Amino acid sequence: SGSVSLSTTKKFGDYSYRFIGSGTSNGGYVSIPTMNDDFSDGFTLTCWVNFSSFESYSRIFESLQSNTENRIILFVNGTNNSLTFLTNYNTTNKSITIPNILSTSTWYFIVVQISNIGYARIFINNHLYVNGLISPIQTLSRSINNIGKSNTGNDYFNGYIQDLRIYNYFLDEYEINNIHNNLNGTYSDKINVWEKIDDLTPNEHICIDFNSN
C-alpha cells in the first residue's frame, strides 16, 4: 500500500523494496496475512535494512492482535538512531533497545528473537548487542501485520528492506550466520508471499519469507 516500489539500491540480488516514510497517510507499507503460527519454540525475525532517515517511531515490522494487545514490534525509538524490539502480553509493554547504533545510507543485517520464556536478543551484522527478558510471544491469531508502518499512527519506515524472514523458533548463532552469508540464495521475488522452508534445520519449523532477489 502507498509508496512501496522496487529499487536497485540493494544488498544483493536484483532489487530491494523502497519504502517512502512520508509521515503521512501516503507513506508506503506492506500488509501481510493473519499470523496463526505456533511460537511455543520462540520467534526470530531477520532482515536487511537501509535507512534513508529516522522517522518518528518508524516501524520495520509490527504484528498485533488488536491496537494495544499482544504486539511484536521492531522500530526506531523516537527520531534518533536507536533500535528497539518490543513485545507485550495483553497491554503490558516490555522491550530491549540498542542506543545510538544506526546510520543512514548503510545496510544492516538485523536479527531480533525471543525464546519461549521471554529471553530476547538483538543482533546487528552478526554481533549480539543487547539481550534481556521481555514478554514471551503468545500463540494466537494476529490479524494486523505490517512491514514499514504502525497500526496506531503513521510511523512509516523510510528506506530499503530486503529479505525479511520470520521463523517460529529461536535460531542459534550458526543458523543466523548462515542466513547472513547466504546472499545469493534462491528465494521468492515477492515481498508478500508466505512460504515454508526447511533448509536450515531438518525439522518442520516455519519460515515466513519476504524476499527480493
Side-chain angles (χ1 to χ4, degrees), residues 93-110:
N93 294 331
K94 293 185 179 180
S95 64
I96 53 176
T97 296
I98 309 174
N100 306 315
I101 187 66
L102 303 168
S103 299
T104 57
S105 303
T106 302
W107 280 103
Y108 295 101
F109 179 63
I110 295 174

Side-chain angles (χ1 to χ4, degrees), residues 138-163:
Q138 308 299 310
T139 296
L140 44 79
S141 179
R142 291 178 174 83
S143 59
I144 305 169
N145 306 288
N146 294 317
I147 301 171
K149 176 186 178 296
S150 165
N151 176 65
T152 56
N154 294 324
D155 303 334
Y156 290 101
F157 174 84
N158 187 24
Y160 306 85
I161 298 176
Q162 188 169 5
D163 194 22

Side-chain angles (χ1 to χ4, degrees), residues 3-4 17-21 28-30 147-148 157-161 191:
S3 301
V4 179
Y17 286 88
R18 174 71 169 107
F19 291 75
I20 306 298
Y29 69 98
V30 171
I147 301 171
F157 174 84
N158 187 24
Y160 306 85
I161 298 176
I191 199 168

Side-chain angles (χ1 to χ4, degrees), residues 165-205:
R165 308 179 183 196
I166 298 169
Y167 293 86
N168 69 336
Y169 71 110
F170 193 86
L171 271 66
D172 62 29
E173 287 85 348
Y174 176 79
E175 294 170 309
I176 291 171
N177 187 63
N178 277 353
I179 298 170
H180 174 269
N181 294 335
N182 187 19
L183 297 184
N184 295 308
T186 301
Y187 306 124
S188 163
D189 62 358
K190 295 182 180 180
I191 199 168
N192 60 346
V193 168
W194 298 55
E195 62 181 3
K196 295 183 180 180
I197 65 172
D198 55 4
D199 57 342
L200 294 178
T201 58
N203 53 32
E204 293 299 319
H205 286 120

Side-chain angles (χ1 to χ4, degrees), residues 12-24:
F12 60 93
D14 296 328
Y15 53 83
S16 69
Y17 286 88
R18 174 71 169 107
F19 291 75
I20 306 298
S22 64
T24 72

Side-chain angles (χ1 to χ4, degrees), residues 45-47 49 51 60 74 83 108-112 123-124:
L45 181 149
T46 74
C47 60
V49 175
F51 295 86
I60 297 173
L74 176 60
L83 186 68
Y108 295 101
F109 179 63
I110 295 174
V111 179
V112 296
F123 293 81
I124 296 182

